[in-house]
Amino acid sequence: MFATAFPLALALDFLIWRRTEGTPAVETVADGRREVFHWTVVMATFALGAAVGDLTAASLGRGYLLSGLLTGPASAPSAAASGWAPVRSAWSSP
């Protein structure tokens, strides 16, 4: 259930963010309202990852190691398409 609810919440958040602010660009997060949109997206993304990981690990009986190996690479295409910059900045920011 959550594995389908979180993508919808994420899409809705991006839609509202774009219509309200004109852009969902992270670079433009400079005030409280945009920061709320940003952190809502971050929380929904992490929740989605946990839900899908738990679905494959527990509900489908694949185990947590195999689940991580199956779901972890799912983020690689978008990270590679962005030149890995968001991945670097997320782990190296102060």
Side-chain angles (χ1 to χ4, degrees), residues 5-93:
F6 287 122
L8 296 175
L10 193 58
L12 183 62
D13 190 34
F14 273 122
L15 178 70
I16 294 169
W17 187 358
R18 182 154 181 86
R19 289 196 179 190
T20 303
E21 299 294 328
T23 178
V26 176
E27 296 83 12
T28 65
V29 175
D31 63 16
R33 183 168 66 182
R34 289 180 180 180
E35 195 164 338
V36 168
F37 282 120
H38 173 259
W39 285 110
T40 304
V41 166
V42 169
M43 289 188 299
T45 302
F46 282 120
L48 173 61
V52 171
D54 288 346
L55 172 72
T56 58
S59 299
L60 300 179
R62 301 291 183 230
Y64 290 101
L65 177 60
L66 183 56
S67 175
L69 294 173
L70 291 172
T71 59
S75 62
S78 65
S82 66
W84 300 94
V87 176
R88 285 192 309 269
S89 65
W91 292 105
S92 62
S93 60

